[in-house]
């Protein structure tokens, strides 16, 4: 059978269609040997290979053969059963990945937004348990400043002068600080700070509007609001706590570039790394 020949498998009544080269990805596996050897577990019936195993779990095995990585849904729980199926098919690199169950399970991610409204200014501090999420959010949030004359807090008109972008304050990799609103400078000059949150293109000066847009952005990104509390009634500090399940990075098997005798890449002995 050539490597580009189509192969049809019926696994527990679930039908799969793939290339022979995909099944030969790991030449020592039982699936690779199935194409050339007789095996009592695999029966060729009407041109289809039939095997009495779990067809639902086999879909994850086929995904692994096609991508060389393990990507499981957040609610997946049959790690031991899938590992047993991988061992049955002789896919020991996959079984090795599945034994690292703690790396494959989703983790709960916490994000805390603190909001303080003081006269004509609003102050924000965001803390996250996952630094990569905070980094991504920091790239979405932009702060701009400018000077105006005689404009008020709720003025819908932006400054006619060019606005100057300001860097976010980053006390650590896990948090950020910024503010918006107006403050009086020398004379009748008013210093303003606007906040923009991508993909929204508006530049907002009102702290309540910024808070609403920030929470809306986080909810669209998969977070859910868990609790709201007043941290300090004197300083008017409110705290919004959000959480979401964060999917883990895919674990990947690397293979050598040279082709083996069966026309499939040869797996390396040290197979595990995190996929990007």
């Amino acid at each position: 059978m050539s490597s580009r020949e189509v192969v049809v498998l019926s696994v527990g009544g679930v039908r799969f269609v793939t290339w022979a080269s995909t099944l030969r990805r790991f030449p020592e596996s039982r699936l690779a040997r199935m194409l050339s050897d007789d095996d009592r577990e695999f029966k060729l019936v009407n041109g289809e290979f039939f095997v009495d195993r779990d067809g639902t779990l086999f879909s994850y095995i086929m995904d692994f053969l096609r991508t060389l990585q393990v990507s499981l849904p957040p609610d997946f729980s049959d790690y031991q059963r899938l590992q047993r199926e991988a061992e049955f098919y002789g896919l020991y690199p996959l079984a090795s990945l599945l034994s690292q169950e703690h790396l494959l399970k989703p983790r709960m991610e916490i994000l805390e937004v603190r909001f303080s409204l003081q006269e004509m200014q609003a102050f924000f501090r965001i803390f996250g348990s996952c630094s990569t999420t905070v980094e991504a959010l920091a790239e979405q949030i932009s702060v701009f400043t400018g000077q105006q004359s005689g404009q008020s807090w709720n003025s819908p008109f932006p400054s006619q002068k060019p606005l100057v972008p300001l860097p976010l304050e980053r006390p650590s990799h896990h948090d950020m600080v910024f503010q918006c609103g107006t403050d009086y400078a020398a004379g009748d000059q008013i210093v303003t700070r606007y906040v923009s949150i991508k993909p929204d293109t508006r530049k907002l000066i009102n702290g309540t509007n910024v808070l609403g847009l920030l929470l809306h952005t986080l909810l669209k990104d998969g977070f859910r609001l868990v609790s709201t509390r007043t941290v300090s009634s004197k300083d008017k500090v409110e705290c919004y706590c959000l959480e979401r399940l964060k999917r883990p990075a895919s674990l990947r098997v690397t293979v050598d570039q040279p082709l083996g005798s069966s026309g499939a890449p040869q797996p390396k002995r040290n197979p595990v790394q995190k996929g990007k």
Side-chain angles (χ1 to χ4, degrees):
M1 181 177 290
S2 69
S3 61
R4 299 306 292 174
E5 190 169 341
V6 173
V7 179
V8 181
L9 299 94
S10 178
V11 183
V14 182
R15 195 167 181 265
F16 297 88
V17 181
T18 187
W19 295 112
S21 58
T22 301
L23 298 176
R24 289 188 174 126
R25 178 80 74 171
F26 298 89
E28 300 305 318
S29 73
R30 203 168 185 177
L31 289 170
R33 298 198 309 269
M34 173 194 73
L35 301 178
S36 54
D37 299 334
D38 292 329
D39 191 314
R40 63 180 183 176
E41 295 289 349
F42 298 88
K43 303 296 182 182
L44 191 58
V45 181
N46 297 326
E48 299 183 8
F49 287 98
F50 174 81
V51 59
D52 189 18
R53 303 293 295 191
D54 191 307
T56 300
L57 293 179
F58 190 74
S59 64
Y60 300 117
I61 289 176
M62 282 304 307
D63 182 65
F64 170 75
L65 290 174
R66 289 165 176 153
T67 66
L68 293 178
Q69 61 185 6
V70 182
S71 299
L72 301 173
D75 59 348
F76 186 82
S77 60
D78 289 336
Y79 294 95
Q80 292 184 350
R81 290 182 60 211
L82 184 55
Q83 183 178 352
R84 188 166 62 244
E85 293 299 294
E87 291 172 349
F88 169 81
Y89 292 109
L91 294 170
Y92 298 107
L94 173 58
S96 176
L97 294 182
L98 292 168
S99 68
Q100 303 179 67
E101 184 177 332
H102 64 287
L103 297 177
L104 294 168
K105 285 185 175 180
R107 299 179 181 180
M108 186 61 70
E109 183 180 356
I110 305 297
L111 197 70
E112 184 180 273
V113 177
R114 293 203 173 197
F115 170 67
S116 175
L117 190 60
Q118 300 177 9
E119 296 183 355
M120 295 187 296
Q121 298 184 75
F123 300 85
F124 294 82
R125 182 161 194 161
I126 302 174
F127 174 84
S129 60
C130 179
S131 61
T132 56
T133 297
V134 177
E135 291 287 348
L137 187 59
E139 293 180 359
Q140 290 180 259
I141 299 176
S142 301
V143 179
F144 304 87
T145 186
Q147 287 190 349
Q148 306 160 55
S149 299
Q151 290 193 344
S152 65
W153 166 269
N154 291 312
S155 173
F157 304 104
S159 172
Q160 299 300 315
K161 298 179 181 180
L163 297 178
V164 179
L166 293 177
L168 296 177
E169 295 182 46
R170 297 296 309 276
S172 74
H173 293 296
H174 288 272
D175 59 347
M176 72 180 80
V177 178
F178 61 92
Q179 68 185 81
C180 65
T182 61
D183 190 20
Y184 287 100
D188 63 347
Q189 293 295 311
I190 298 177
V191 178
T192 63
R193 289 184 186 234
Y194 298 88
V195 173
S196 179
I197 305 176
K198 298 176 182 177
D200 196 292
T201 58
R202 292 173 295 171
K203 293 180 176 63
L204 303 177
I205 192 174
N206 185 292
T208 303
N209 293 340
V210 173
L211 176 64
L213 178 58
L214 175 61
L215 294 177
H216 176 72
T217 302
L218 294 172
L219 293 174
K220 287 186 64 176
D221 202 29
F223 282 95
R224 69 184 185 93
L225 184 62
V226 178
S227 65
T228 303
R229 71 182 190 277
T230 300
V231 178
S232 171
S233 57
K234 179 181 178 181
D235 297 327
K236 300 180 181 180
V237 179
E238 299 176 353
C239 178
Y240 299 82
C241 186
L242 304 99
E243 66 178 25
R244 72 174 176 185
L245 278 177
K246 180 177 175 59
R247 296 194 63 174
S250 298
L251 295 184
R252 183 177 178 86
V253 166
T254 57
V255 295
D256 292 325
Q257 293 301 318
L259 298 179
S261 58
S262 63
Q266 300 293 311
K268 291 182 178 179
R269 290 188 177 182
N270 185 16
V272 180
Q273 67 176 16
K274 287 188 178 181
K276 295 182 179 179

